[in-house]
Amino acid sequence: MYQIIQQTQDFAKQSLAHAEAGHDWHHANRVWQLAKQIAQDETANLLVVELSALLHDIADYKFNDGDEELGLKKIKSFLTRLEVEEVIVQQVELVIKNVSFKGGQSDPAVKPIELAIVQDADRLDAMGAIGIARAFHFGGYKNRPLYDPKIKADLSMSANRYMKKTSPTINHFYEKLLRLKDKMNTKTGKRLAKDRHRFMEDFLKQFFKEWGE
Ligand code: ADP
Ligand code: NI
């Protein structure tokens, strides 16, 4: 198992070498560490958790010209080359397909614990100080305004509209980041989310104070 993880780590580092900072190897690494921490208090297949955490953003639609299937194919052929058992590959694929937020509409009816863990880890990395940094980084990358008092947050966005939105970065806190706390699956995830949530609330308070609202 150690060798498989080691090689997957190298593969993720390589595949994410040119990714933007919000989704780069360091993000995959943080999600991997968080997923391992969360898994300590759960009964889960650790190989599935670790592989999914390391590989979860390689298939992202944003980095494969909108084609998620292409990324999944890359992952499957990589794992098959490593001679990872087919049932494990299938579980990893299921986690990766379902981990992304995309407006929060994509949760399957039955959520395997491995998915619950990696989803919590990915969500935690979108919260707190790192979450704030990633949000403004993403907004800058897309040339979005920081904030525009005239543009109100849209709390009922469909997955499709969520993927196409161009609203200011502050709106993203209301449309996604502040909602993550209540979407945590595991008890460790819930506990870690509290502190990160509070930090974002404090940040927003200070932001609006400085803005003069
Ligand atoms: P996931 O981690 O579930 O794949 P995304 O790909 O939507 O989620 O987001 C990755 C990172 O980019 C997160 O930190 C998220 O907050 C940030 N991000 C995504 N969309 C926006 C946006 N419209 N404005 C600001 N930040 C965003
Ligand atoms: Ni991610």
Side-chain angles (χ1 to χ4, degrees), residues 158-191:
S158 65
N160 197 28
R161 204 136 53 90
Y162 175 79
M163 284 189 264
K164 291 193 181 127
K165 73 174 175 158
T166 56
S167 47
T169 302
I170 285 288
N171 292 24
H172 188 62
F173 285 80
Y174 298 94
E175 288 158 358
K176 172 176 174 179
L177 306 182
L178 293 172
R179 294 156 74 193
L180 293 175
K181 172 176 72 71
D182 295 328
K183 287 180 161 287
M184 288 292 152
N185 303 300
T186 64
K187 61 177 184 309
T188 310
K190 286 184 182 131
R191 178 169 56 77

Side-chain angles (χ1 to χ4, degrees), residues 92-157:
V92 169
E93 189 185 357
L94 183 114
V95 174
I96 292 176
K97 265 189 177 162
N98 290 289
V99 78
S100 177
F101 179 83
K102 297 195 188 85
Q105 324 277 320
S106 59
D107 277 2
V110 180
K111 198 184 286 183
I113 185 66
E114 292 79 10
L115 169 59
I117 292 169
V118 177
Q119 199 169 47
D120 278 6
D122 196 31
R123 286 172 174 170
L124 282 167
D125 203 57
M127 301 176 73
I130 298 230
I132 295 169
R134 289 179 75 208
F136 285 99
H137 168 76
F138 190 96
Y141 180 68
K142 296 275 182 181
N143 198 20
R144 308 258 167 86
L146 301 177
Y147 174 52
D148 184 339
K150 289 196 294 295
I151 305 175
K152 297 295 168 211
D154 182 351
L155 299 180
S156 57
M157 244 186 270

